[in-house]
Amino acid sequence: MNSPYEGLPPRAFWRQGVAERTALDGLFEPRFQVSRTDRIATAGSCFAQHVGRTLREQGFNVIDAEPLPDGADAETASRFGYGLFSGRYANIYTTRQLAQLLDEANGDFVPALPVWEKSGRYFDAQRPGVEPDGLDSPEDVMELRAHHLERVRSIFAEADVFVFTFGLTEAFIHRETGTVYPTAPGTIAGQFDPDVFEFRNFTYPEILADFLKVHSRLKAINPKMRFVVTVSPVPLTATASGEHVEVATTYSKAVLRAVAGHLYHTLDDLDYFPSYEIITSQKAGGAFYETNLRSVSSVGVQTAMSVFMRAQGVDMATPATQPSEQKPKRKTKVGPPIVPRTALFSEEERRARRAAGLGPFTAEERRARRMQLRTQIAQVVTEQEDDVVCEDALLEAFNK
Amino acid sequence: MTLKIMLTGSSHAAAVYSGWKAVQADYPGVEIEMFAFPVYAAQHLERRKNGTYGIFAKDALKDRVRDGLIKAYGSLTRNLNDFSHVIVAGQQLGNMQCLALLASAGVQGLRQVPPGAGALLSRPAWKAFCRKSAENSRPAGCFNEFEGSVPIILGRPIRAETIVDGDEGDIRDIAQKLKRSPDGVREAMALCFDAARETYSDAGIALFPQPVETLGRFGFSDTSFNRGSVNIRSTVVKGDAHKPTDDDAHMNAAYGAIVIRQVLDQLNDRQ
């Protein structure tokens, strides 16, 4: 052999693997299969919402420990943090927060300043966005938190697979106790006092140690638990590091990616899914982002998730591989929703008609109702396309 | 001064009208004229120029029903300018969605998380869901067609609690779950009705949801209010207000009396 590169598959070479590729197959070769019977827990930054939702839509058994019935309004549910992750913990941007949540749920940790106030309303400092209007009293906050922690325990007691998306390295912590918060004090609620809180940009060793602690704790609960980690391709909205936001983003993502890489190479029960690489690839030329160059477009999400699904043996829509294959922005054209004839009229309407001695609904009446229902369904679908909560507003204080 | 009120809407107006007949002696100076239609025909109600209101589509009603209504009402149209107030009965408020939510969730301070469920809603979250259900059930713009006199809207009563033994799977399941864990359901529905009232109030419309005292223990209408229930056919077309139907969707005169008293007392307060 003249060179160690001789005989390697095309995926090992940039020209064939990236520049000239026509499909994303081979980018992800899963270390283990995730089956539809596996109970999957999801957590992490906002990109994890896409992962969880896609898995659920494809019939995977994603745990929802605080579920609402099917008919509950999706927009309202999302606004109050329901259905986004396996628990109503909202976005968990840092690994330190994840470790802290598990410690708290297990009774090993009590966060400092757990309730933040704003304009006479009270918020859970660990997830201030899930009650957008706040609650009447600190006691109400703590009661809901106690219930939430009980549900968090149940999630990890039953999970077979834990999917986590690394989001940020930057956070604010309580100086005295080290309690980490998902948002800067003073944004949604609370007040920023530099004597009480401080900025922290978590380092590679800290993040690695935090995740290994999580791994160890979850393996103690379920020795067979497996892990799938991803790195969020969503850049920072703002940085408090003092660096340019683009430089800070690269640093943050590089650290998180390096941690994920190390975990992949050292833990046999952990897989790394390269959604970060798919979305940020030079091949995509930024086309998997919305016009703000930050939010991941629905086409980007679909492309990344279809790679994951195909690797798991589930054939979603064919992924796009380059910008020219994409449609400009969501609103993916689909056929009109199918409304079965039996669902056109309510039982009450049918009964009223029978009571009036009238015959079956006419073709014209059915057609009119079908069009009406299709319009309503289309509106709901459009709303649901946008229900990922990234809480950009929560980070505004970084700019101050 | 005489208050001349039109009672329109769907078949749920029948209970209100029967109730009015029972209490009208207490309200001298009030006249209520029934002008409601079966639900399938009520969707054809429209308002035209100069305040003319009613059913204009000739084929909206079957001959026999139309003849019965014309015999009762004189014609299928009215002039809204002849009335000081219009009451529209039978408006959907999405209450069944709210009950479905209660069957699967607790509400902080009102109701424990039911066995097998996982969500504990805060009161703001619960109200937000109820508001949304009411908003989603409100037909866009239709109430704005009533120029001059903004109508008073009466919420459609929740199905009677006998539904718990009925054959409609989804609703029966909800009812059975709530029957097994009924704590706080009535209190939660009271908050829900407040939320619906607020959504209508925000749009400048007075809404009277179902009176909480007519709900049974697990949030469906108490059976005492659907026993001898009435509808358009029994009150108008056949002219037999006393013929009971006992169906679980419509209520009786006792229910209607409570509702109409609430409306008239509020109108009196305003004046």
Side-chain angles (χ1 to χ4, degrees):
Chain A
M1 183 183 286
N2 295 326
S3 162
Y5 295 97
E6 199 174 295
L8 291 179
R11 67 195 290 265
F13 297 92
W14 186 265
R15 184 168 60 83
Q16 294 126 300
V18 180
E20 296 176 357
R21 77 178 169 214
T22 56
L24 288 164
D25 294 343
L27 198 67
F28 174 51
E29 295 181 347
R31 181 173 268 174
F32 51 81
Q33 292 290 309
V34 178
S35 79
R36 285 194 167 94
T37 55
D38 286 326
R39 290 159 297 187
I40 303 168
T42 65
S45 75
C46 58
F47 193 75
Q49 295 173 34
H50 294 303
V51 178
R53 188 171 63 189
T54 306
L55 286 168
R56 194 174 286 125
E57 286 169 355
Q58 295 302 319
F60 283 79
N61 186 7
V62 179
I63 296 168
D64 185 351
E66 301 180 62
L68 299 177
D70 289 343
D73 180 70
E75 183 188 332
T76 307
S78 177
R79 194 159 69 88
F80 283 87
Y82 288 97
L84 303 178
F85 300 101
S86 290
R88 195 174 165 235
Y89 25 64
N91 292 346
I92 297 177
Y93 295 107
T94 62
T95 316
R96 176 64 54 85
Q97 192 195 341
L98 175 65
Q100 182 181 284
L101 174 66
L102 293 178
D103 284 348
E104 187 188 2
N106 203 44
D108 298 333
F109 179 80
V110 178
L113 304 178
V115 181
W116 287 351
E117 185 267 346
K118 185 176 186 180
S119 304
R121 304 292 291 170
Y122 298 90
F123 298 78
D124 185 339
Q126 292 298 327
R127 46 176 194 156
V130 301
E131 290 291 341
D133 305 320
L135 299 173
D136 290 344
S137 70
E139 292 75 21
D140 282 355
V141 173
M142 295 309 290
E143 183 188 3
L144 282 182
R145 181 144 197 88
H147 172 77
H148 170 61
L149 292 172
E150 185 268 317
R151 302 315 300 158
V152 170
R153 282 194 296 277
S154 80
I155 293 167
F156 293 104
E158 64 175 283
D160 300 309
V161 176
F162 179 38
V163 179
F164 180 71
T165 298
F166 291 93
L168 296 175
T169 55
E170 297 188 13
F172 281 85
I173 67 168
H174 186 252
R175 282 181 184 275
E176 189 180 336
T177 64
T179 299
V180 66
Y181 303 96
T183 67
T187 47
I188 283 188
Q191 286 191 324
F192 184 72
D193 180 346
D195 292 332
V196 177
F197 303 103
E198 67 178 348
F199 172 73
R200 174 69 71 86
N201 203 357
F202 288 109
T203 63
Y204 174 96
E206 289 174 320
I207 296 166
L208 182 61
D210 284 336
F211 193 87
L212 289 174
K213 183 180 172 187
V214 168
H215 180 268
S216 173
R217 183 179 279 286
L218 296 182
K219 292 296 272 190
I221 297 169
N222 177 5
K224 292 183 178 176
M225 188 177 289
R226 289 163 295 154
F227 299 78
V228 176
V229 296
T230 67
V231 173
S232 168
V234 180
L236 277 64
T237 296
T239 179
S241 65
E243 297 176 329
H244 187 284
V245 68
E246 194 163 25
V247 175
T249 294
T250 300
Y251 170 79
S252 180
K253 300 299 177 184
V255 167
L256 295 173
R257 180 63 188 87
V259 170
H262 179 82
L263 292 168
Y264 175 76
H265 291 298
T266 55
L267 299 174
D268 290 341
D269 56 10
L270 181 142
D271 210 347
Y272 171 72
F273 172 60
S275 55
Y276 179 82
E277 285 79 354
I278 294 168
I279 301 300
T280 63
S281 173
Q282 282 92 334
K283 181 74 172 178
F288 288 145
Y289 287 96
E290 299 281 11
T291 52
N292 64 5
L293 301 181
R294 184 173 175 274
S295 309
V296 178
S297 69
S298 60
V299 172
V301 171
Q302 188 191 14
T303 300
M305 291 311 300
S306 65
V307 170
F308 182 84
M309 289 300 169
R310 283 157 68 98
Q312 302 295 340
V314 177
D315 197 9
M316 276 177 66
T318 304
T321 57
Q322 52 194 15
S324 59
E325 294 180 27
Q326 301 161 26
K327 295 200 166 63
K329 267 185 76 174
R330 34 171 182 278
K331 306 278 190 274
T332 308
K333 178 82 175 157
V334 292
I338 297 168
V339 182
R341 184 169 171 170
T342 51
L344 287 175
F345 298 94
S346 69
E347 185 55 37
E348 187 171 11
E349 288 171 305
R350 293 176 196 281
R351 193 166 36 234
R353 195 174 179 92
R354 283 196 300 271
L358 297 177
F361 288 98
T362 65
E364 180 61 24
E365 287 171 319
R366 288 199 304 273
R367 191 190 65 78
R369 176 59 62 89
R370 185 171 282 115
M371 293 303 293
Q372 181 191 0
L373 290 177
R374 280 178 178 172
T375 304
Q376 290 172 359
I377 292 169
Q379 285 169 348
V380 170
V381 169
T382 304
E383 285 169 6
Q384 287 176 345
E385 283 179 346
D386 287 326
D387 70 356
V388 171
V389 180
C390 273
E391 300 177 314
D392 286 359
L394 310 194
L395 299 167
E396 282 174 3
F398 284 110
N399 277 331
K400 293 176 182 172
Chain B
M1 178 185 151
T2 299
L3 276 182
K4 193 172 178 191
I5 298 171
M6 177 201 286
L7 175 59
T8 185
S10 69
S11 56
H12 296 282
V16 181
Y17 190 66
S18 298
W20 159 246
K21 291 290 185 189
V23 303
Q24 63 180 339
D26 298 338
Y27 296 91
V30 176
E31 289 178 16
I32 295 183
E33 184 174 328
M34 175 76 159
F35 190 63
F37 296 84
V39 67
Y40 71 87
Q43 63 186 319
H44 295 284
L45 282 166
E46 58 180 306
R47 181 197 167 279
R48 292 191 171 174
K49 288 179 181 177
N50 304 321
T52 314
Y53 166 83
I55 300 264
F56 297 89
K58 287 182 179 175
D59 55 355
L61 296 166
K62 198 169 181 180
D63 291 349
R64 187 173 55 82
V65 178
R66 186 178 62 236
D67 292 346
L69 288 170
I70 289 175
K71 186 178 175 186
Y73 296 157
S75 80
L76 297 185
T77 60
R78 291 287 184 277
N79 194 311
L80 294 173
N81 296 323
D82 295 337
F83 300 90
S84 48
H85 297 280
V86 176
I87 297 174
V88 181
Q91 176 57 42
Q92 279 274 28
L93 298 177
N95 291 326
M96 198 53 69
Q97 290 171 324
C98 299
L99 286 170
L101 197 49
L102 283 180
S104 303
V107 180
Q108 187 172 30
L110 294 176
R111 168 173 172 74
Q112 299 285 317
V113 178
L120 175 61
L121 299 168
S122 66
R123 288 196 194 206
W126 169 241
K127 282 194 79 169
F129 277 109
C130 294
R131 278 186 70 104
K132 196 70 180 179
S133 290
E135 285 169 7
N136 288 346
S137 303
R138 195 169 75 202
C142 79
F143 298 132
N144 298 330
E145 292 178 357
F146 290 81
E147 289 176 5
S149 174
V150 177
I152 295 162
I153 308 298
L154 307 183
R156 183 179 298 189
I158 296 172
R159 306 281 288 275
E161 54 193 0
T162 49
I163 201 82
V164 76
D165 299 317
D167 55 7
E168 292 174 73
D170 290 349
I171 299 177
R172 183 190 58 213
D173 291 347
I174 293 167
Q176 288 179 346
K177 282 184 184 175
L178 291 172
K179 188 177 182 182
R180 283 196 294 271
S181 57
D183 77 286
V185 172
R186 280 169 54 117
E187 291 79 3
M189 288 309 294
L191 208 60
C192 195
F193 293 154
D194 287 345
R197 203 178 282 116
E198 286 168 15
T199 66
Y200 276 73
S201 175
D202 290 347
I205 299 168
L207 170 74
F208 288 83
Q210 177 167 9
V212 176
E213 60 267 35
T214 64
L215 295 180
R217 202 170 59 93
F218 55 96
F220 285 71
S221 293
D222 190 283
T223 49
S224 63
F225 293 106
N226 84 309
R227 205 169 293 127
S229 59
V230 291
N231 57 30
I232 294 287
R233 208 153 54 149
S234 63
T235 54
V236 179
V237 178
K238 288 187 176 175
D240 179 7
H242 303 292
K243 182 181 179 184
T245 61
D246 282 347
D247 72 74
D248 59 46
H250 296 92
M251 298 295 120
N252 58 22
Y255 174 91
I258 294 172
V259 172
I260 199 64
R261 277 191 188 281
Q262 285 188 348
V263 175
L264 296 177
D265 290 348
Q266 185 163 314
L267 284 177
N268 279 339
D269 288 346
R270 277 193 212 156
Q271 291 165 359

